[in-house]
Amino acid sequence: MRLQMMNRPTLGGRRRPAARGLLPALALALGLSACGDAPPAPERPAAPTLATHTVAADGTAGFRDWDGTVEAVREAVLSAQTSGRVTAVEADVNDRVAAGAVLVRLTTVEQRAGLDAARAQLRAAEAAAAEAERQYRRYASLAQDKYVSGAQLDQARSAHDAAAAARDAARAQLAAAGQGADYTTVRAPYAGIVSMRSVEPGETVGPGHPLLTLYAPDALRIELALPQSEAEAVRARAQASLRLDDGRGVDAAEVVVYPSADPRSHSVGVRVNLPALQDPPAPGTTATVRLPASAARGALRIPAKAIVRRGELTGVYVVQDGRPLLRQLRLGGVEGGSATVLSGLKPGEKIAVDPLAALAAIQAQRKAAAEARDE
């Protein structure tokens, strides 16, 4: 390579090279180019391989878990049927009461006064009816001998009928007044447990005001709403097992599938009756009901150790294209190291068996992505 150097004239008429420092720089550049390419960058460590589990339908399970709420077959809100002031409350929450036991007492002043007035009216009506009966008989006897006219006999008969009707009305009023007086004493319609108390002594109540809530613990049930596809399997095999909120497991006494579906939700109602228990659960508590599942559908089961629980969130890490992603699930029962999946997964999907390893893989992928952006 040949370089041509050009000189400039100086103020003194002398010439000197304009690029005296150019030759060393060019020589250094040529030397570096002859040495070859730069050394390669250090390789990043490969991402750890996650152990995965492929979700599949278990056709041999034949059962599916559903969440339900226990409710009482016989539960009544006892309300006041007359006006008055509460004088005594004989039962409180959690008290067991016998059938016919007195629960609440109300004042009886107005009711007793009305009852006495009804009795007086009945006595007057009975006296008038008796007098009308004697008058009619007298006119009927005289009419046989033609001492009274037929019109007079008809008037006596009408007076007799009117007096009898007034007597019957007075009897009905006395019965109503007596029933109103009976309403001042509220009794238990059946043996049960008091679950709510809504009044205190001294309060003034009117008809319809709630007083106490009572339920019978010997008859409990769970109401469920199932999809149409699952209702047929339950109807074919009417059996169920339950796991109560306290961990006890019992078999259902009866399973009833409704004959029709709800036109709005297209779901079919199922009633599961509980057997008589020594320590029955309280109405309102939750329970898990295991019902027969459709054989074609089967049940999805995953390893219990793959489940992630964060507060109220329950899910697993689903591996897609080598990247674990957290997905929320709705689970059924956990038994034998595996859990039943009600919703959130499909057959064929892969999940990470170790949640901690999946979380470490996510952090490593985020770090690698950040380093790539910096370069």
Side-chain angles (χ1 to χ4, degrees):
M1 182 176 183
R2 186 176 181 180
L3 299 175
Q4 295 180 356
M5 306 298 297
M6 298 182 65
N7 297 328
R8 289 184 180 178
T10 60
L11 294 177
R14 297 180 179 179
R15 298 177 180 269
R16 66 176 181 179
R20 181 178 298 176
L22 181 61
L23 289 176
L26 289 175
L28 179 60
L30 291 174
L32 292 176
S33 62
C35 294
D37 297 335
E43 296 182 358
R44 298 191 184 95
T49 303
L50 292 176
T52 60
H53 171 80
T54 303
V55 181
D58 184 4
T60 61
F63 292 92
R64 183 176 177 182
D65 293 341
W66 304 86
D67 295 331
T69 303
V70 178
E71 62 181 31
V73 177
R74 292 186 297 171
E75 184 174 13
V77 178
L78 304 181
S79 303
Q81 296 180 272
T82 186
S83 300
R85 182 172 54 83
V86 179
T87 59
V89 180
E90 305 293 345
D92 204 349
V93 177
N94 291 332
D95 288 349
R96 288 181 174 268
V97 296
V102 177
L103 302 180
V104 180
R105 297 182 186 274
L106 305 179
T107 54
T108 62
V109 177
E110 296 180 0
Q111 288 77 10
R112 292 298 177 185
L115 182 60
D116 294 341
R119 287 172 179 169
Q121 291 177 359
L122 176 60
R123 288 195 296 269
E126 288 176 343
E131 177 62 24
E133 176 71 19
R134 290 191 296 269
Q135 187 72 8
Y136 171 70
R137 290 180 179 181
R138 187 181 304 110
Y139 271 77
S141 177
L142 293 176
Q144 293 179 357
D145 297 333
K146 304 297 182 179
Y147 287 107
V148 296
S149 63
Q152 291 176 324
L153 180 62
D154 293 339
Q155 290 177 356
R157 184 183 297 110
S158 298
H160 168 266
D161 295 341
R167 179 195 59 199
D168 294 341
R171 288 176 178 174
Q173 291 179 356
L174 177 60
Q179 188 64 49
D182 292 339
Y183 286 156
T184 59
T185 302
V186 181
R187 301 178 181 273
Y190 46 78
I193 300 175
V194 178
S195 60
M196 183 177 295
R197 173 177 173 176
S198 304
V199 292
E200 296 292 338
E203 294 186 24
T204 301
V205 298
H209 191 286
L211 304 175
L212 296 173
T213 301
L214 180 73
Y215 76 91
D218 57 345
L220 302 174
R221 66 187 178 191
I222 298 176
E223 295 280 349
L224 301 172
L226 271 60
Q228 300 178 22
S229 58
E230 298 294 337
E232 291 302 326
V234 178
R235 185 179 284 110
R237 295 184 295 166
Q239 57 181 344
S241 59
L242 304 97
R243 183 167 298 277
L244 303 179
D245 186 56
D246 56 5
R248 288 182 295 169
V250 296
D251 293 331
E254 185 183 15
V255 178
V256 180
V257 182
Y258 291 5
S260 59
D262 189 339
R264 292 173 295 181
S265 62
H266 305 289
S267 60
V268 179
V270 176
R271 176 182 297 170
V272 181
N273 294 329
L274 276 68
L277 301 175
Q278 185 69 23
D279 186 14
T285 58
T286 58
T288 301
V289 183
R290 176 163 293 184
L291 295 171
S294 174
R297 180 186 182 279
L300 299 181
R301 301 188 69 85
I302 60 174
K305 61 182 180 180
I307 300 173
V308 179
R309 301 185 187 276
R310 296 180 180 175
E312 297 182 356
L313 172 66
T314 302
V316 294
Y317 285 102
V318 180
V319 180
Q320 297 179 349
D321 299 330
R323 299 177 60 87
L325 301 173
L326 183 60
R327 183 185 298 177
Q328 186 175 3
L329 302 181
R330 183 168 178 262
L331 300 179
V334 179
E335 184 177 359
S338 63
T340 304
V341 179
L342 301 182
S343 62
L345 286 177
K346 297 180 180 179
E349 292 185 314
K350 294 183 178 182
I351 63 173
V353 178
D354 188 354
L356 296 179
L359 182 59
I362 293 176
Q363 294 175 351
Q365 291 173 358
R366 291 176 179 174
K367 183 178 180 181
E371 293 177 353
R373 287 195 301 268
D374 293 341
E375 292 178 358

